[in-house]
Amino acid sequence: MPLRKRRYSLGTRLFLSAALSCILILVLAGLGLTTFYRRSAERGFDERLSVYIKELVADLAAPPETERQAIGDLGEPRFDLPLSGWYWQIIRLDGDKPNLRASRSLVGGQLPKLLDQRIAPNSRGLRESYVSGPDDRMLRVLEREIDVGEDGRFTVAVAAPADEIEGDIQDFRLALTMTFVLLGLILVSSTLMQVRFGLRPLVRLRAAVGAVRTGDAPRIAGEYPPDLAPLAGELNQLIDANHEILERARTQVGNLAHALKTPLSVMLNEAEAEKPESHLARTVGTQAAVMRDQVQYYLDRARAAALSGALGGTTEVVPSLEALLRTFMKITQDKGIDGFHSVPETLRFRGEKQDFEEMLGNLLDNAFKWATAKVRVSLEEGTGEPAEPMAILIDDDGPGLPGEAMAEVLKRGRRLDETTPGSGLGLSIVVDLAKLYGGEVTLHRSPLGGLRARLILPSV
């Protein structure tokens, strides 16, 4: 089964893209600044160590032997503390026995020689690296190779704890993270405000289109930025064209109705004027009545087809429903049938009032015709939410219909009881009108004991 792609609104897309871009830029900037600061911290730390190397080299290069006895007096107490992490050592490279001099802090140990690790010297002639010290602490080591002539060649190394560099970097990283987090929150908030401000005209345009759809406004009103003004104009032209097509259809349907009804009325009048026992008169009268019903049926269907595509048509359900219930209770007052409803006041049908009353009226007519004592109209639970279809239930306590007959009675012109008046087109008109609005009509067994008609229509 293919996965359904998740859809995001335009505002969400803009906000997410801008927010992710800001976060990515801040992360890259943080990594770059941290790397730059590490190198800067290492250079500063190396400058301190190189000062000690220069002092040791100067002591080695001093000509009198007596002066060399003071090698290692660097004025730094930590070089005298055992395993303090601050070390220096001098190793003679030539001669039969390597001569080793080291700080007291090494307590007889020795630093690894960077010369043996084939580390190339930098532009200042210093080798630099990180090594593990005598107590397994990570050390930053600087080493220099010097030649003092007849006195031989030496390597001079100075080491200090690397955690001092890492401590500075951690402090910088923490300060940078807090600064960038605050800056990121400010940027994301400003992005959100910019997106909401920038898309506000689209929100207004959407509300204006919704007002036209629900019938609260005839056209899209208001001023819009130059980017959206042409779109609003095109939508208004579309609405005008829709109304023009609707009016043209209404006019043509009305003209056709008048053109057909007059000849049919003449034929019916002439048939009634003839002798009642005349076979021709009865045949003409019967067929003319059938033609009138059929013409009216297809005229109503054509009119509804034109209206169903119109924009802005809405109908309040309760006023029309209450008016129809009063009318049918008055017509059937000799039977004492009680009609009542439990439809919410806020329910609205997205369509023409005349079509809604045509559908509901036919269903109520059928219910009151067969009911024994009561007819109930209700809204099916879970339907009728804004912009969701509604299901109106019409129940009666009459004899009902067997299951196989429910589908038959909805067919055009089909009647299961010829003793009741009517052409048999009422329920089929409801079926066709409901289909034109994207709905449907179904028949079921009613909890009241009779028939239940379930009418599904679009709501606002």
Side-chain angles (χ1 to χ4, degrees), residues 46 50 53 120-128 142-144 156:
D46 291 348
S50 66
I53 287 182
N122 59 20
S123 59
R124 296 185 298 170
L126 295 173
R127 293 182 176 90
E128 54 190 35
L142 259 66
E143 182 182 275
R144 182 176 181 180
V156 181

Side-chain angles (χ1 to χ4, degrees), residues 11 43 49 80 85 110 130 135 171 208 230 239 272 281:
R43 282 196 301 267
L49 298 182
D80 296 327
Q110 184 176 349
Y130 290 95
D135 56 350
D171 292 340
I239 293 170
E272 292 174 356

Side-chain angles (χ1 to χ4, degrees), residues 259-277:
L260 292 176
K261 285 183 177 180
T262 300
L264 287 175
S265 298
V266 172
M267 293 174 63
L268 286 172
N269 292 334
E270 290 296 327
E272 292 174 356
E274 292 294 325
K275 298 179 180 180
E277 65 275 6

Side-chain angles (χ1 to χ4, degrees), residues 193-194 197 299 450:
M193 290 188 291
Q194 290 174 5
F197 177 76
L299 287 176

Side-chain angles (χ1 to χ4, degrees), residues 105-174:
S105 55
L106 272 172
V107 291
Q110 184 176 349
L111 296 173
K113 286 195 299 182
L114 301 185
L115 179 64
D116 296 340
Q117 299 178 15
R118 297 183 179 180
I119 296 176
N122 59 20
S123 59
R124 296 185 298 170
L126 295 173
R127 293 182 176 90
E128 54 190 35
S129 181
Y130 290 95
V131 299
S132 180
D135 56 350
D136 294 331
R137 293 174 67 182
M138 189 60 63
L139 302 176
R140 177 69 174 176
V141 179
L142 259 66
E143 182 182 275
R144 182 176 181 180
E145 183 181 350
I146 64 170
D147 188 349
V148 292
E150 295 179 356
D151 292 333
R153 294 172 50 248
F154 299 87
T155 59
V156 181
V158 177
D163 54 8
E164 293 194 14
I165 301 177
E166 293 299 327
D168 290 342
I169 295 174
Q170 289 297 334
D171 292 340
F172 176 78
R173 185 181 290 121
L174 178 61

